[in-house]
Amino acid sequence: MPIMIYKRDSIGKHLIKANRHTRLCYQVSGADKFAKAIEPVYEAVEEKNRDYRNAVYTRYHAHDTMTLQNSRLDNAVRTAFEKCKQHDRQNPGKAILERLFPGRVYGHLVNNSMFKESLLVEQVAIRFENLGEEHPLYNEAAILRSFIQEMRSAIVLFNTTEQQEKEALTKRALAMADLRKQYETNYLDARKELGKAIAKHLFPDNPHRKPESEEEVSQVA
């Protein structure tokens, strides 16, 4: 019996074996029906693999955006901290740094998880707001909140793309299962209609040397 396509096989092996099988079917008299039976299933796998690859790229891009927004939020915190230090130098009797940044540090904010930092920085924004609208640093709260919002939007986008990637992977796996089933069905039907000797020639063995094309066949895993 020819080597079938197995669940453990890569997406590349799924596609290249089905592609070779299809080409062979068009070269053997009376076997073109098997090519036509597997072609739409093969194309569905290619489509789902493209969708999955695009979903992976989209998640990468969303993560990059999230990282960039996190860096901007970090810098906003540093700027706010420096403005407080400058205020205290100019107004020694009205020092506020300790009040806004307890312990006179901000490292625990910028070095925290990207997914948690906005919650901590929001507490800093609230402290700035509590200075009162007449205070010269009151508007720092709005500045921080704008960066917080950008950060949270980036996180929401990343979480969405992460879920979309998982869904795309599941759909690809289902399409691959359909391809494996059709490949085996083609063999059983070909053996019945054409005989075992001819049928085996429609299903290629694995090459002795792994072709470069197999590495290039839309693999994302």
Side-chain angles (χ1 to χ4, degrees):
M1 178 177 176
I3 299 175
M4 294 290 101
I5 305 175
Y6 302 106
K7 184 177 181 180
R8 66 175 179 270
D9 288 340
S10 68
I11 179 67
K13 285 186 178 180
H14 277 69
L15 291 173
I16 201 168
K17 290 198 72 172
N19 180 276
R20 293 168 66 200
H21 165 61
T22 300
R23 289 178 178 275
L24 287 170
C25 286
Y26 279 122
Q27 296 177 52
V28 176
S29 178
D32 61 318
K33 62 182 295 184
F34 304 117
K36 290 181 172 63
I38 202 170
E39 279 179 330
V41 188
Y42 169 86
E43 291 169 0
V45 174
E46 282 203 313
E47 178 186 357
K48 299 305 180 186
N49 191 51
R50 283 194 299 271
D51 292 344
Y52 173 60
R53 184 174 63 248
N54 290 337
V56 171
Y57 291 159
T58 300
R59 177 178 59 80
Y60 286 160
H61 298 158
H63 188 274
D64 291 341
T65 297
M66 184 172 63
T67 302
L68 178 60
Q69 293 300 341
N70 181 248
S71 177
R72 289 172 174 169
L73 179 59
D74 288 348
N75 287 336
V77 170
R78 294 185 179 99
T79 298
F81 183 84
E82 290 301 322
K83 285 183 178 180
C84 288
K85 289 180 66 176
Q86 182 180 8
H87 173 274
D88 286 2
R89 285 194 298 270
Q90 297 173 349
N91 303 276
K94 300 178 181 179
I96 60 170
L97 182 62
E98 178 65 33
R99 177 180 172 184
L100 298 176
F101 292 89
R104 298 172 180 267
V105 295
Y106 64 86
H108 64 293
L109 300 173
V110 300
N111 295 323
N112 214 302
S113 164
M114 288 191 291
F115 299 96
K116 298 179 180 179
E117 183 175 338
S118 62
L119 294 173
L120 298 176
V121 177
E122 185 170 25
Q123 295 175 17
V124 178
I126 292 174
R127 295 186 193 117
F128 273 104
E129 290 172 339
N130 288 337
L131 293 175
E133 296 183 11
E134 301 303 319
H135 197 281
L137 293 181
Y138 174 81
N139 289 333
E140 289 302 308
I143 295 174
L144 288 175
R145 287 191 182 281
S146 67
F147 285 102
I148 289 172
Q149 184 56 49
E150 291 295 329
M151 185 66 215
R152 288 177 176 171
S153 295
I155 290 174
V156 169
L157 177 61
F158 173 74
N159 289 337
T160 298
T161 60
E162 197 171 40
Q163 182 60 37
Q164 290 173 339
E165 179 187 336
K166 292 177 182 178
E167 293 174 359
L169 180 60
T170 297
K171 291 178 180 178
R172 189 186 75 166
L174 292 173
M176 290 167 68
D178 289 341
L179 184 64
R180 292 194 299 272
K181 182 177 180 181
Q182 186 61 52
Y183 194 84
E184 184 175 357
T185 297
N186 273 16
Y187 171 69
L188 296 176
D189 290 345
R191 190 172 63 177
K192 290 178 183 178
E193 297 185 26
L194 304 177
K196 188 175 181 180
I198 295 178
K200 72 176 183 179
H201 293 300
L202 303 177
F203 298 85
D205 292 330
N206 294 327
H208 295 297
R209 184 181 69 82
K210 192 174 186 179
E212 292 182 5
S213 58
E214 186 169 313
E215 292 295 334
E216 298 170 356
V217 183
S218 305
Q219 296 198 53
V220 178

